[in-house]
Amino acid sequence: MKPETKTVHWGDRRKKTAGYTPVTTPIYTASTYLYDNVEQLDRVLGREEEGESYGRYGNPTRAALEELMRELEGGAGAEATSSGMAALNLATMAALVDRPKRILAADALYGSTTNMLVSIFGSIGVETSFVDICDAAAVEAAVAELTPGAVVMETVSNPLLRVGEMDKIAAIARAAGAVLIVDNTFATPLLLRPLELGAGIVAHSATKYLAGHGDVIGGIVVADQDNIEAVRTLARTLGPLMSPFDSYLTMRGIKTVALRIERQCGNACKVASWLASHPAVERVYFTGDPGHPDAATIARLFPKNLTGAMVSFEIKNAGRDEVFAFLDRLKLIVRGTSLGDLHTMAAYPAIASHRELSPKHRQRLGINDNLIRLSIGIEAVEDIVEDLEQALQLQ
Ligand SMILES: Cc1ncc(COP(=O)(O)O)c(C=O)c1O
């Protein structure tokens, strides 16, 4: 064999080494796999035998993450995707296979999700209606009127942190033959598992709490038995999948998500009470607040004191300029557009998550120009509060 040939073939594709198992899943970057004979490959491709054949159909690193998430969410299967939006797209397309091409969605969704439903699904003839997801009677009436194929909601709405009665909504959707799709990004399966409450498909932006370190863009779809085949077929045909390296990072992140989120929820509780008593603060939105408009639902669906680590607040008499000045004064808290990382982050929904909505649309949703969203991290809470205090002082 000539060196040129050796450079292409040598070293790789060694036989499996018997006698040991890697303790953590390695990053498998191979796009295809070699079998001893074509008959075996034929069986693997025909799914009569377990095995890998081609990276779009499956990858051992991605499969390890999918198995972990399937187990955490309690589903029949999972697909890890290249972004949270890819996960939401996949979930929505899968839900509409063999069902009416109509969607009922929560009126307060992540801006890009609303945009995807209206602009992209709308442009191919899928009609979306919106409803106040915290009003179960309104959801029931809208489902009866629209007879949708899918109902879409977030466990905790962004950025006003409202919580709908997911179990009731799942039952309403099922009774009408629709699938409930839940974006569980803000809660993670550590706090709430939508499939156990009757949802058919769960989607995540793994970019956030799951990966947790600000170094991955990714998503996950977990589906029940009725929906997994559609999710899998679409994923394998269209290929919106997570890379082996991002799958490795996400899996590594998930190993500490329980510890992180417990501390983040504790810190969020302290930050929310501190903000509520600050004279420059108009209003605080926090799922752990006993006066929260959905407090009864939260108490019923979430574990005690683990209701999420997002805190939104409004600054008194502030507009866009004052909010910009406040954000620029922050020294420790990171100004950004993401959430769920181990560092505390401040986002301004009007220019970030809800930028794609018109000012009128934002106003209708209650997303005012003085609203700031904090994703609380794992730092010492005293340092988070000190930074907020110095930035609010001049307000
Ligand atoms: C609730 C929620 N869902 C979905 C997404 C989209 O995720 P990604 O940015 O990973 O595509 C985001 C992003 O901010 C989000 O906050």
Side-chain angles (χ1 to χ4, degrees):
M1 203 179 285
K2 298 267 187 285
E4 293 85 340
T5 310
K6 281 187 180 173
T7 58
V8 175
H9 289 279
W10 220 251
D12 271 337
R13 285 166 261 139
R14 290 159 58 187
K15 296 280 182 229
K16 261 190 238 149
T17 311
Y20 68 81
T21 306
V23 170
T24 50
T25 305
I27 304 172
Y28 290 90
T29 55
S31 52
T32 191
Y33 300 82
L34 182 68
Y35 287 92
D36 287 344
N37 52 65
V38 183
E39 260 179 41
Q40 194 182 2
L41 175 63
D42 184 36
R43 287 197 299 277
V44 170
L45 283 168
R47 292 209 239 159
E48 295 150 35
E49 185 176 318
E50 282 232 2
E52 301 294 348
S53 57
Y54 185 58
R56 178 155 45 79
Y57 304 149
N59 169 281
T61 316
R62 196 168 75 231
L65 167 65
E66 288 165 347
E67 172 53 19
L68 171 63
M69 281 305 294
R70 183 203 62 72
E71 183 65 23
L72 286 175
E73 286 286 10
E79 292 288 337
T81 58
S82 54
S83 70
M85 287 315 300
L88 281 152
N89 180 28
L90 184 59
T92 309
M93 286 176 81
L96 296 185
V97 170
D98 296 331
R99 293 196 183 89
K101 309 296 180 258
R102 293 182 293 278
I103 296 170
L104 181 68
D107 55 7
L109 290 171
Y110 172 57
S112 292
T113 308
T114 304
N115 208 25
M116 172 188 82
L117 295 175
V118 173
S119 308
I120 300 175
F121 280 85
S123 73
I124 53 169
V126 177
E127 181 195 340
T128 299
S129 292
F130 293 92
V131 68
D132 175 0
I133 210 75
C134 296
D135 182 347
V139 173
E140 186 157 29
V143 165
E145 192 187 326
L146 185 70
T147 59
V151 177
V152 180
M153 69 182 288
E154 291 169 358
T155 310
V156 181
S157 81
N158 177 16
L160 299 180
L161 312 178
R162 295 293 308 267
V163 177
E165 294 185 89
M166 192 184 292
D167 48 354
K168 288 191 188 162
I169 294 163
I172 293 166
R174 266 181 199 270
V179 180
L180 176 64
I181 300 171
V182 177
D183 179 336
N184 201 27
T185 300
F186 274 38
T188 83
L190 275 306
L191 304 191
L192 190 144
R193 288 171 292 283
L195 298 177
E196 287 177 4
L197 298 177
I201 307 181
V202 177
H204 280 276
S205 169
T207 312
K208 310 298 184 324
Y209 289 101
L210 296 176
H213 292 69
D215 49 13
V216 171
I217 294 287
I220 312 268
V221 179
V222 187
D224 67 4
Q225 197 63 49
D226 288 347
N227 294 288
I228 191 59
E229 210 41 53
V231 170
R232 249 184 216 142
T233 304
L234 284 164
R236 286 170 189 187
T237 308
L238 302 176
L241 298 164
M242 192 184 277
S243 74
F245 183 58
D246 286 342
S247 300
Y248 167 81
L249 284 178
T250 304
M251 196 149 169
R252 188 180 164 103
I254 292 173
K255 290 182 195 303
T256 57
V257 70
L259 282 175
R260 282 186 279 114
I261 208 150
E262 194 179 325
R263 182 169 170 101
Q264 285 168 293
C265 288
N267 278 356
C269 196
K270 291 176 190 151
V271 170
S273 348
W274 182 83
L275 281 170
S277 62
H278 196 285
V281 172
E282 176 86 44
R283 186 169 171 186
V284 178
Y285 302 81
F286 177 53
T287 43
D289 178 358
H292 189 288
D294 310 312
T297 306
I298 294 167
R300 195 160 62 75
L301 301 183
F302 282 78
K304 198 166 177 341
N305 299 327
L306 290 175
T307 64
M310 302 297 295
V311 178
S312 297
F313 69 101
E314 290 170 348
I315 301 180
K316 261 185 201 156
N317 306 318
R320 191 184 161 96
D321 290 348
E322 289 76 17
V323 170
F324 273 33
F326 165 80
L327 291 171
D328 281 341
R329 283 196 292 271
L330 292 171
K331 292 177 179 157
L332 171 77
I333 297 171
V334 181
R335 292 179 293 274
T337 61
S338 197
L339 64 105
D341 289 330
L342 32 73
H343 42 257
T344 300
M345 188 171 267
Y348 186 25
I351 65 156
S353 57
H354 292 71
R355 189 188 186 98
E356 289 159 57
L357 306 187
S358 67
K360 249 193 182 157
H361 192 160
R362 281 199 297 273
Q363 223 172 24
R364 188 153 38 81
L365 296 175
I367 302 171
N368 298 321
D369 276 355
N370 61 348
L371 181 82
I372 292 162
R373 189 194 73 189
L374 296 175
S375 165
I376 305 297
I378 64 166
E379 303 95 334
V381 72
E382 296 82 357
D383 290 328
I384 303 170
V385 166
E386 192 178 312
D387 197 25
L388 289 169
E389 175 140 50
Q390 65 80 23
L392 276 172
Q393 222 163 38
L394 302 171
Q395 207 62 48

